């Protein structure tokens, strides 16, 4: 038996390729969209991918299941649980609770495990004939993580299915009851690791066991359903806005990606055209370079681990766009884009050096240090905007700051206070640089970005408040699908 | 907690780097000798390697513990169990059964687990404060593998410690008793995977759990000590001859490797000098290329997964040597060599094209197909030599064949039957190509190599015998340390 | 002005990219078929390729002019000299003697320079305004090389245009007269370097000047037309057989290559199918590996500088084929194949290790050393076949050897002497390995390949004859287009 | 004969490797310091480097001649012309006008060609026996370039040898007289291409011929000595300050570089130490990123083609330093540093992301657009500093701007006008970013950097003055060796 976890750091997402060397066949569970990774492993290990399975309709990434099926001819095994509304709209082999299938000597038993989503299933693996009666691994998707369980509120918050989150929490409680019946020795292979927005306190250890989770996972320590529901629904971070789009694209018929896009290098002429036509430009350079100078109206999403998430959150899925990225980073960026379904890249500019040296206009982000803000200037002259998540804000923020999560800045543009200069901040500066670029794109120039953010503020020993809820909370925002950058 | 298995396919050997992100520190367990791998992981993950531990004095590879300690300043944690004879002869922190140490928030508890070797220890890991009382992983070295346990006969067979193998088997029985007391949910992180010579039936799954092994591992199914000892000592494959040298080098003071050797490209002049002086030449090309033509007296050890093992087995540790290998393979080959302590590479020749085109002598291996051997020629005109392991031979061989494991050909040279042409074979041709090159190096030219070996013989449907023990078995061979190629 | 020579060693072919930085435009002269090279240079240097020119209808490679025009939209500038028969059959801008065109500040003057071919033109470059009246470079194609001139016999010998070679030689004499009128200081940028089959004594220095060539080039030392014609037509090497196909493909409409083929890795099943259907297999491994064992009926064309030439010569342009080549060499091999228009690769097998280890039949080339041939065996028992070029044969060969150039072995199969075992040789073994594989493919097994070839024979001090013409010369062979491997 | 030009874009410097394939030997002329390039070419072409020659004591880079001699054992051939003061102080084979030496079949004739420097020699190559009496190439070093000749003022201006520049100009006139005696057809292989500070109008074509230069090179059009001297000495750009150091290091005994430094990745702790101890930090990121935020007191020298020159000019040769550069650029930067002898790199930091996110102080460069400067603010409130070369300044500058070449900012610090805010600019922003960082390092914060520089100013159509000399010219500056960043 071959076992390989493919871990994608940007989305903290785990997929698996499990093979039977004797039969030369393999299954991939929850594949990401850049499927060459699986084809290469299969190639190296001399295995043919004959099966592809998903644990549920993913919200945080666009799966590559159908691309992989097209490339390999493998059978597509998907949940038929959860009711009509959650049925995959394209051809597949439907799985139900109790279904089994085999890949060579490997036998998989399907469990229906609703909670995160109504149709969620998990796969219990038996390595026959070695252990026909003792399961070796449990592929749990977003049901049980190491140290956490899947959040049941995404459908309601991100996709607008009113009233589903409490139902989900109660289903999760029941699903976990059944989970406890598994032997302690079974290994848990989850769908996410630390950093995913699909749970709130995922551990950094990649794998665990049923017995260990029973002892350590918070969700398995609570035996009272009401308490469990309350705890599970509290403190979940803001769901990225693109999750609704992912749900839709993962469920319905859509054009397949034949191969990874190879965007062409563009010139200043193309930039000028984009500026004229309003085509969005993602500037992936560092926030400092962006602050130092950027092409007017471009959006700063730095090329780091959070790139996929922010790109999915901020960009309009319907619109083609350009990218500022160096030659040696563009291939990586393309992968990160297609993983969240942003395939519509029209080209990239490796550097804005030429733009700048030819005397074209550079837009600058005005910056202020925490020292200047607190000691030199009069802080009362500024309206402070805290662009972090609500949980972080509650844990501590600068007195008087209004909390507008960066993901909702675009919707709030019209309602932003205008009497004073805005001073925007986040934890370390990444999110406020995104937010600042959205302000500039909307013509709002009267703001400063606080370098180093709240981290620098605390580091400097300046006072801050804890635990107070401000009047304007992000949950009051009406999320509309048109509120993306366009 | 960061967890990373570093799996080296050539030796089927697993080492581990476990880090505590909070403190920024990490431990490496059983490092291989090309330590750059660990330094790179630590670098990427922003961890400082502060501890290095070994489970036992390894026999199958030269550890990089001391090289890694020199490069990082980390503390060296080694067993002080097993008696004076098994004490590491250089400076280290001694561990005993019950010792504990911490790496940031990670707490390690030391178990003395004799059986494979007298000093063998294992490490039980607690991830505090998350689970101060529930161990998460057990680093078992060559104590418990997935599906097997460490063999106790190496010291006796490979290193000449008479009478130790039965003692070891009984210790293993006791150590396994204690193993059963662990909770089922603990994950097992062993020192080897499938293909290692340190056990006889290792599984291909890299990790397991205590509970799963209790159910599936053959060694945990036997409750009677005598039966266990009998079973454990039977059917173990021939131990590679270099194991004795590894034991010695891993225990004693030796010069450290500062960095991986970068052998220079040599010319025909250097080859001529090597031929004149008798310096060994390892030809790493394919067996077919070797058969088609090679530099006289060179040894054919193909650059595949078994390279380290065969190089360790066949080569003389005292002698410098040359290598025939292409530019794009030499770096990989150097790693494989230093992993078994063969650091003394004097240079490499990328191709023998020039040697051949300038009219220098090429030595050829005469080959015969199984069809010709069985149908065209008179098989009675040949003395058949089966160069596989004894277990394979017993399972099936060509009638009349004498079994001389390729690792013992050098010692048997003088005693080889000389009346007829030898026909040498192994399973698929790799080992008989090594063996053929040893014959040629010793001036024996009256032989043919059977292409395709026993696999081709069976494929062709020709008859063979099973289960009969021949008169001359490899166990009768006296293993002397001088019997290496020189 | 940017100047870059792109030199392709395999065909000893030079192409040029010349750019005007001020206008940002560039021209490519005589592009090879893997055009990514030019696109990359243009990209790096921020130039747009606006013009593509050819000096003549090439015979030794398939040009990438039309692929490059399709990729860039550049104007295609081709000769309209030489009469209807030599007119390009697809859309282009026609050039005549005296035509001029400009690329930014660069002015090109067209010379009609027949001799090598009737339509041949050359380009005299002026770097205006720096030197509007002093030409800086002369792009001569196959008109004047460093130390040689283009051969006028290819059309007749390779493409069957009877009676053209003397006409061409006389035209060359006239073209050279005009060449002498150029100023000494003009730099010569030729279409080939040493090793090309388009001339007989090309120098190894890549560039020269008009004045230097006047002093050193043999062709410019002869003032008598008859003597010149005689000298030019004598001693030219055998033209590769694929030249006729290249002439045709370079002149006529043909499907364009969109991108370099990426052949898939195949398995043993595909090999078996190829063997069953008769699909040719090119084995690109070393001749020694081929001799040691190969898949039956495969053709050995080693992956070295001569690969393109031999593949073009030996393979059938109409038939799809497979390749044996390692993963790290296949991309290079694909380039070498498409350069001569062999685009029809169906897949590649990285190694025959698995074929061999599974007991499939291996074909072997029987080899003999020159020592054995001369000293041990009775040379009179063999019919010696010298597979080198006729010129080499005349310079020296083993007594009694028959000269059959390897390129004509396929046609001569039926007429090969059959009474004795054949002993085939060439200079160092490469060509006789090709020839041997053709013999085997045609069912002729009664031969031995002389390792080291004539070089080893001379090195050993064995006697040979010089200057005698054998009865059977290669010029008597009837070249038919069907006589390729199929 | 093998001919290969090695062109190093950063210094616009050409070196040559010329080999004789027949003897298997080669010479390198004017090697750069990262000598692995030559060793690789020699390796590929199967040549042994047996000779190394220099045309003169270089001022713009540290030669690798002695490193290459140490690595290969080659003979070092250096000028003994020009008098005692210009004699190399270490062991070498001395060459004089008329000396000859051979490398296989290649014969080199030495010409003494003073002008650029007193000891300057050039090498006339004959490819014997092909052309024993007709020279094929002339390796001219900094004597004759394509379109220009070497400047004779460097010794005086950069190295302080008073009164030498006119003498040099007259010697150059005489040397050129002799140059005219060469045949037109000889190819010119010069020591520099366009962009070098060793001449003033070098062409972009890499090679030329004697005859072409006679027609096109301005220096060969002037027959009157006085006019020639006047013309040659006028309009030469400011010589980089490090030239004096290069002259010294290239002439005297110095420790050799064994291999290219591999600087370690450092952490924030090392940065803090550097800040405490005053160790210089070179920040190689883009000027925009530097403006957006940088580690206080670091110097911005962007990693582009001019990096070597500016690093040599700005940095103190005696002091160790740190570098901010990404992992994928550091190797390239190390090469650029050692080429000008800056070997003392202590480590590098791949990103300042962590520095910034942990709340450490970021220094910012205040920027202003030309539009704001001209239209929004009152330009009279600023003292304008033009940091370009004097020639550029004369050609056109913003009215009222003072010209201080960026290379002299450090010396002028004390004398800078202090009454108003400084507005610094250059052509496109690179040099003013260097200059701005020097201001900040010296505690001067009251300045703004004009984005886009003079290019943007002109592009915007704002008025400027031409041809007026300001009162303070850079030639009045006293250049002292202590005036480097430290």
């Amino acid at each position: 038996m071959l076992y390989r976890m493919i871990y994608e750091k940007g989305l903290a997402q785990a997929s698996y390729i499990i093979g039977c060397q004797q039969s030369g066949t393999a299954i991939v569970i929850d594949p990401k969209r850049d499927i060459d990774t699986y084809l290469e492993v299969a190639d190296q290990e001399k295995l043919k991918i004959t099966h592809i399975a998903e644990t549920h309709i993913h919200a945080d990434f666009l799966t590559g299941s159908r691309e992989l099926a097209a490339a390999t001819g493998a059978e597509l095994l998907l949940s038929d649980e959860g009711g009509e509304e959650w049925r995959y709209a394209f051809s597949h082999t439907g799985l139900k609770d109790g279904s089994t299938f085999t890949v060579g000597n490997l036998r998989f038993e399907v469990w229906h495990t609703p909670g995160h989503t109504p149709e969620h299933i998990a796969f219990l693996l038996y390595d026959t004939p070695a252990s026909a009666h003792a399961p070796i691994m449990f592929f749990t998707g977003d049901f049980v993580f190491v140290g956490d369980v899947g959040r049941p509120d995404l459908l309601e918050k991100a996709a607008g299915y009113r009233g589903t989150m409490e139902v989900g929490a109660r289903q999760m409680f029941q699903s976990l009851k059944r989970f406890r019946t598994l032997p302690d020795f079974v290994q848990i292979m989850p769908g996410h690791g630390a950093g995913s927005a699909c749970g709130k306190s995922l551990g950094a250890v990649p794998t665990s066991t049923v017995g260990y989770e029973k002892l350590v996972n918070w969700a398995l320590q609570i035996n009272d359903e009401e308490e469990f529901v309350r705890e599970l629904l509290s403190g979940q971070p803001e769901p990225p806005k693109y999750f609704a789009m992912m749900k839709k694209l993962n469920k319905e018929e859509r054009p397949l990606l034949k191969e990874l896009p190879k965007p062409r290098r563009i010139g200043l002429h193309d930039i000028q055209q984009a500026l004229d036509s309003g085509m969005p430009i993602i500037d992936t350079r560092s926030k400092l370079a962006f602050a130092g100078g950027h092409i007017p109206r471009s959006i700063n999403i730095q090329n780091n681990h959070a790139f996929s998430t922010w790109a999915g959150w901020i960009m309009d899925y319907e619109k083609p766009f350009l990218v500022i990225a160096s030659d040696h980073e563009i291939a990586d960026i393309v992968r990160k884009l297609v993983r969240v379904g942003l395939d519509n890249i029209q080209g990239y500019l490796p550097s804005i050096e030429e733009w700048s040296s030819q005397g074209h206009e550079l837009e600058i982000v005005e910056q202020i240090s925490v020292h200047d803000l607190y000691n030199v200037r009069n802080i009362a002259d500024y309206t402070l905007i805290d662009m972090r998540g609500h949980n972080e804000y509650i844990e501590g923020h600068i007195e008087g700051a209004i909390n507008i999560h960066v993901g909702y800045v675009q919707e709030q543009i019209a309602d932003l206070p205008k009497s004073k200069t805005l001073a925007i901040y986040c934890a370390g500066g990444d999110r406020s640089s995104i937010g600042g670029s959205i302000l500039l794109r909307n013509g709002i120039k009267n703001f400063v970005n606080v370098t180093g953010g709240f981290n620098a503020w605390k580091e400097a020993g300046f006072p801050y408040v804890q635990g107070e809820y401000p009047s304007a909370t992000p949950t009051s925002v009406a999320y509309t699908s048109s509120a993306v950058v366009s």
Side-chain angles (χ1 to χ4, degrees), chain A:
Chain A
M1 172 182 154
L2 172 125
Y3 160 84
R4 197 74 65 86
M5 170 193 271
I6 310 291
Y7 193 72
E8 202 286 286
K9 280 189 176 182
L11 297 162
Q13 189 257 342
S15 53
Y16 298 89
I17 176 163
I18 316 292
C20 168
Q21 284 106 340
Q22 203 168 326
S23 64
T25 56
I27 183 173
V28 177
I29 298 176
D30 289 335
K32 62 192 174 94
R33 194 125 172 277
D34 44 331
I35 59 168
D36 52 342
T37 316
Y38 310 107
L39 298 174
E40 275 168 27
V41 171
D43 206 38
Q44 282 164 9
E45 303 290 339
K46 302 194 176 165
L47 295 170
K48 182 169 168 52
I49 295 170
T50 52
H51 296 74
I52 299 160
E54 290 189 11
T55 52
H56 65 295
I57 303 170
H58 296 280
D60 54 328
F61 66 101
L62 194 55
T63 75
S65 296
R66 294 165 69 200
E67 275 84 359
L68 191 55
T72 61
E75 186 179 1
L76 203 48
L77 299 157
L78 303 171
S79 174
D80 272 0
E81 290 282 359
E84 273 311 307
E85 198 166 6
W86 307 105
R87 194 64 50 88
Y88 292 87
F90 46 84
S91 172
H92 65 278
T93 301
L95 299 179
K96 291 259 186 187
D97 188 75
S99 299
T100 62
F101 57 90
T102 58
V103 179
N105 285 335
L106 308 172
R107 188 163 59 84
F108 290 85
E109 193 178 296
V110 178
W111 284 35
H112 181 215
T113 54
H116 179 64
T117 62
E119 81 289 355
H120 197 291
I121 54 176
F123 305 106
L124 193 61
L125 168 60
Y126 296 80
D127 181 19
T128 64
S131 63
H133 301 294
I136 180 165
M137 290 173 176
F138 194 34
F139 295 88
T140 54
D142 292 12
F143 168 31
V144 176
F145 300 124
V146 178
D148 203 355
V149 295
R151 58 191 291 190
D153 60 326
L154 283 181
L155 292 180
E156 181 154 352
K157 290 191 190 148
Y161 290 91
R162 312 257 156 185
T164 59
M165 72 188 189
E166 190 181 323
V167 173
R170 292 186 190 282
Q171 288 178 323
M172 178 60 80
F173 188 74
Q174 298 306 319
S175 293
L176 287 175
K177 266 195 183 165
R178 188 174 170 203
F179 175 84
R180 284 192 180 88
T181 66
L182 282 169
D184 280 2
F185 59 73
V186 176
Q187 296 177 67
I188 300 300
M189 307 309 188
H192 285 292
S196 166
C198 291
K200 63 182 174 186
S201 54
L202 282 74
V205 181
T207 59
S208 183
T209 60
V210 168
Y212 193 78
E213 289 308 304
K214 282 190 208 162
L215 283 172
V216 174
N217 193 319
W218 72 265
L220 288 157
Q221 313 310 310
I222 303 178
N223 292 311
D224 179 70
E225 180 165 338
E226 300 312 314
E227 183 190 343
F228 175 82
V229 169
R230 212 162 40 238
E231 185 64 31
L232 183 55
L233 293 178
S234 76
Q236 294 284 12
E238 289 80 358
K241 217 158 29 189
Y242 74 101
F243 278 21
M245 179 60 72
M246 291 300 97
K247 277 278 173 198
K248 185 165 130 41
L249 293 176
N250 278 327
K251 214 176 76 178
E252 295 177 4
E253 199 59 70
R254 60 171 175 80
L256 298 188
L257 193 64
K258 290 237 176 71
E259 57 180 3
L260 288 173
K262 285 183 200 133
R264 68 186 179 91
R265 278 165 74 164
I266 57 173
L268 301 189
H269 178 71
D270 303 277
I271 293 293
Q272 197 56 58
Q273 276 192 324
L275 292 178
D276 294 345
S277 69
M279 181 185 290
I281 301 171
I282 307 178
D283 188 332
T284 70
R285 295 175 308 143
S286 80
K287 59 181 180 272
L288 299 179
F290 188 81
H294 58 265
I295 293 169
R297 288 175 50 81
S298 54
I299 297 294
N300 180 225
I301 308 178
Q302 299 175 87
N303 181 23
N304 56 26
H305 283 337
F307 180 82
S308 291
T309 299
W310 290 119
W313 200 322
I314 303 294
M315 303 308 292
D316 184 342
Y317 271 77
E318 310 293 321
K319 291 212 173 171
F321 56 91
L322 297 177
V323 166
I324 313 293
S326 71
D327 288 328
H328 87 281
E329 287 180 289
I330 187 65
D332 174 50
I333 285 170
V334 165
R335 284 180 184 271
K336 287 172 175 165
L337 288 166
V338 300
R339 282 174 192 149
V340 291
L342 286 165
D343 305 354
N344 216 342
I345 179 169
Q346 297 297 298
Y348 76 102
L349 188 72
S351 145
I352 68 162
E353 178 63 31
E354 204 185 348
W355 173 271
S356 147
S357 69
Q358 291 194 5
H360 290 287
E361 187 195 348
L362 280 182
E363 199 172 57
I364 287 169
V365 178
E366 201 178 327
Q367 299 184 96
I368 191 170
S369 72
V370 294
H371 298 273
D372 281 1
L373 183 63
Y374 189 71
N375 293 322
V376 180
R377 310 293 176 89
N378 183 355
I379 197 166
D381 293 345
Y382 296 91
T383 301
L384 290 158
I385 309 284
D386 185 323
M387 294 195 169
R388 296 175 300 157
H390 195 57
N391 295 341
E392 297 163 276
Y393 177 82
I394 296 300
E395 278 185 25
H397 59 265
I398 303 178
E399 192 176 1
I402 298 168
N403 180 215
I404 305 177
H405 183 283
V406 62
Y408 307 127
V409 167
Q410 180 72 29
E411 291 90 333
Q412 299 282 60
I413 283 291
D415 302 329
L416 286 173
K418 292 192 178 50
S419 53
K420 302 179 190 174
T421 298
L422 305 177
I424 63 177
Y425 73 87
C426 62
D430 288 2
R431 284 174 287 181
S432 65
S433 188
I434 298 175
S437 69
I438 294 172
L439 296 181
L440 288 169
R441 187 166 173 86
N442 285 279
I444 297 174
K445 304 199 168 186
N446 188 26
F447 75 91
V448 294
N449 186 12
V450 183
T451 56
F454 192 62
N455 293 349
W457 184 271
K458 282 195 296 187
E459 187 79 14
F462 300 155
Y464 59 94
V465 293
Q466 282 175 282
E468 276 178 51
Y469 278 77
S471 52
T473 73
T475 52
S476 65
V477 173
Y479 314 133
T480 66
S481 65
S482 66
V484 289
V485 167
S486 58

